Amino acid sequence: NFIMNAPLSVIDNLNLVSGNIQNGNNLLTIGSSSATEGSITHNDGRIVGKLRRYFGNGNGEVLFPIGDDSNSRKVSICN
């Protein structure tokens, strides 16, 4: 597991291989705008806390691999 002690931005790609990112009240941001939306490569694990993602124009499905310490509640939103 990775514990965040401050807000964190990933501009390009977050490679989530295993374990959880525990960020509590700290915001994890993927991308920086709809033009630079970033991505998540997801194999296993989840984000336990706040997650911000950006949407491009018509880029299809955007994954939110979220949950708590015990349960995954992955959400995909189609644009």
Side-chain angles (χ1 to χ4, degrees):
N1 289 342
F2 175 73
I3 299 173
M4 286 176 45
N5 293 320
L8 178 67
S9 293
V10 177
I11 303 303
D12 191 23
N13 181 61
L14 173 68
N15 190 6
L16 192 55
V17 176
S18 66
N20 297 336
I21 296 175
Q22 299 174 335
N23 56 337
N25 287 325
N26 296 304
L27 182 62
L28 173 60
T29 302
I30 308 298
S32 60
S33 69
S34 60
T36 309
E37 61 189 274
S39 62
I40 297 177
T41 302
H42 180 258
N43 293 320
D44 191 27
R46 58 195 153 269
I47 298 162
V48 181
K50 298 177 181 181
L51 172 63
R52 174 188 290 156
R53 300 235 22 215
Y54 289 91
F55 293 84
N57 293 326
N59 287 347
E61 190 173 285
V62 177
L63 174 67
F64 290 78
I66 57 175
D68 60 23
D69 286 329
S70 304
N71 302 295
S72 181
R73 301 285 186 241
K74 292 187 279 186
V75 176
S76 294
I77 298 175
C78 293
N79 180 359

